[in-house]
Amino acid sequence: MKYLSALLLLLLTALPAQAAPRVLLFDGYYLDMPRAKVQRRAEAQPCRTPGLEEHLCLRQATVYGGQKWQQAFMFSGDQLKMIVLQRPFSPAGFRDAVREITGSDFVLAEINAGGNTFDALAAARKGERNFQRSLENFERRAAGARQLTYSFLDKRSMRAARKAATLRDFLRQAPTGTRGVTLSHNGRLMLLTFLAPGA
């Protein structure tokens, strides 16, 4: 019996712990994917941009939403934390990117325009018609902003977020597996960032 107990204990400690679910960032790349695996799979090289040398970049453009983007893999230590796409800004290109994001697995969560914020969760509490009117009014006022950021969450997380009063409340306790995308511009460049706010 002593031998059986020792054997069971040994087997239990040898079994791998329940693995956390993989969180997809973009195009088959996952949160915490090891640098070596990303580098092999993507044939990525260290970025040439000053200050980003510890991250990896693709030499070839990535096509997203019918547009060509420069792609960077951002790491913390050896683990992939986010993927950033960059291209020159154009109003039509920005609209196309918003359409592409919302046509996939993501839902608008927030818009920030020079310090003014549209919180989709808070606005949705006022009803569908008021939500649409508030969104259209905010977008009209934000159209000329020098800096504009749209934030999106995956649909599953957005359903869970409806219990929160505001987006900030939800993000403070976002569950593991929450996927997010931000699209921003500063009048010259557009950045599209795929991340996991619940990590």
Side-chain angles (χ1 to χ4, degrees):
M1 187 68 158
K2 204 179 212 185
Y3 174 74
L4 186 57
S5 297
L7 184 59
L8 281 172
L9 182 61
L10 180 63
L11 284 173
L12 287 174
T13 57
L15 290 175
Q18 179 69 22
R22 294 193 319 173
V23 180
L24 176 67
L25 293 175
F26 174 69
D27 198 24
Y29 295 95
Y30 291 85
L31 178 71
D32 294 335
M33 187 179 270
R35 175 189 301 270
K37 189 171 183 177
V38 171
Q39 194 163 13
R40 272 193 316 274
R41 183 173 184 264
E43 298 180 8
Q45 299 175 3
C47 297
R48 295 179 185 159
T49 305
L52 296 179
E53 295 91 346
E54 73 272 17
H55 304 292
L56 297 175
C57 289
L58 293 181
R59 296 294 175 235
Q60 302 295 319
T62 297
V63 177
Y64 181 79
Q67 302 178 81
K68 291 184 177 181
W69 301 76
Q70 296 303 311
Q71 181 174 331
F73 299 93
M74 311 302 282
F75 294 87
S76 177
D78 185 47
Q79 297 181 318
L80 181 62
K81 294 301 178 185
M82 69 179 77
I83 295 175
V84 179
L85 306 182
Q86 172 186 301
R87 64 169 282 110
F89 169 72
S90 74
F94 195 84
R95 285 190 302 274
D96 289 346
V98 168
R99 246 190 317 277
E100 182 71 19
I101 295 165
T102 56
S104 61
D105 189 39
F106 293 94
V107 177
L108 179 66
E110 181 181 86
I111 304 171
N112 188 294
N116 296 317
T117 301
F118 174 81
D119 185 322
L121 289 177
R125 297 205 179 293
K126 298 174 184 172
E128 179 67 27
R129 205 168 70 203
N130 285 334
F131 174 85
Q132 286 301 328
R133 188 171 33 243
S134 297
L135 175 60
E136 289 167 7
N137 288 340
F138 190 89
E139 286 185 311
R140 196 172 15 265
R141 288 191 314 270
R146 284 188 175 162
Q147 293 188 343
L148 185 62
T149 301
Y150 279 62
S151 298
F152 305 86
L153 290 176
D154 65 282
K155 291 175 183 174
R156 182 186 54 79
S157 297
M158 239 355 220
R159 282 192 291 275
R162 288 186 181 141
K163 298 172 187 166
T166 66
L167 179 64
R168 299 284 173 223
D169 291 341
F170 173 71
L171 291 177
R172 278 196 269 296
Q173 301 172 347
T176 301
T178 301
R179 297 171 53 222
V181 177
T182 63
L183 174 66
S184 60
H185 79 76
N186 63 5
R188 293 178 297 113
L189 291 175
M190 294 192 303
L191 292 178
L192 184 55
T193 306
F194 296 87
L195 60 146

